[in-house]
Amino acid sequence: MTEILSGQTLVRADIAALAGKAPQHLESCDLDEADLSKLDLSGWTFERCSMRHADLSGGRLARTVWRSTKAPFANLTGADLEEAQIRGCDLNNASLRRANIGSAKVVSTRMTGADLHMAKGMGFTFEEVLLVGARLPGLSFRKEKLVRLDMAQADLAKCDFRGAVLEGCSLREANLDGAQFAGADLRGADLGGLQLEDARVFRGAVISREQAEQLLSGWGLLIR
């Protein structure tokens, strides 16, 4: 049974001494601004930890579990987060550029302003995630079921939503340049604030009559 390390303030030397051994369970630990770059922390659990501005770039974080952990502005650039489980966390303005998020599951987490440019991987799940103003260009959500994602004002340029189902999601004022929505079900999405030039990206998508009327009205077209 994994021993829980609780209530400690830890720096790189402390974590490096444990890395490569059995996966550790950290609870209520202070890792603010810690340099944890390129360490192998596969399978570790971070529960109610503080990791503000922590540097985990290039880290091996596959199968890690994150619960109620605060990591705003954390640097996860190029990290391997395959099969990671992230729930109830704060990743506001975190950098996940070029990170591997294959089969990762992110639930009830704040990621406002997060940067996922060039993030890669398939089969990941986002549910009840705040992605307002986040950068997600080119990310593929193809055939995924997206539940309560707030992507208002997010950069969704060239994202692939083909065949996806969006339930309770917001695309309000998002950048949709080059995005693909063919076969997507958008009847449960907030499409408010979109410009007329965005209409072409919705070719082949399913929207409700009410949504169509709202969009046309917003574009200054009269419906009689």
Side-chain angles (χ1 to χ4, degrees), residues 6 12 14 23 63 69 75 78 98 101 107 119 148 167 174 177 181 183 200 203 221:
S6 180
R12 181 180 179 88
D14 301 317
R63 303 179 306 283
T69 286
N75 183 5
R98 301 189 306 279
I101 58 173
V107 180
R148 292 185 288 283
E167 292 186 1
D177 186 31
F181 285 90
R200 66 184 182 278
R203 184 174 299 166
L221 300 176

Side-chain angles (χ1 to χ4, degrees), residues 4-78:
I4 298 177
L5 187 60
S6 180
Q8 302 293 311
T9 297
L10 304 169
V11 297
R12 181 180 179 88
D14 301 317
I15 301 299
L18 298 169
K21 299 180 181 180
Q24 303 295 307
H25 186 148
L26 306 186
E27 182 180 284
S28 302
C29 288
D30 184 349
L31 296 158
D32 288 349
E33 301 183 7
D35 177 6
L36 309 177
S37 59
K38 299 182 180 179
L39 293 179
D40 184 358
L41 308 179
S42 303
W44 282 43
T45 295
F46 304 96
E47 185 168 2
R48 297 192 300 279
C49 292
S50 182
M51 304 175 74
R52 292 175 173 84
H53 293 277
D55 184 1
L56 295 125
S57 59
R60 296 171 64 182
L61 304 170
R63 303 179 306 283
T64 47
V65 177
W66 307 61
R67 299 193 194 104
S68 304
T69 286
K70 298 184 183 302
F73 296 96
N75 183 5
L76 292 150
T77 301

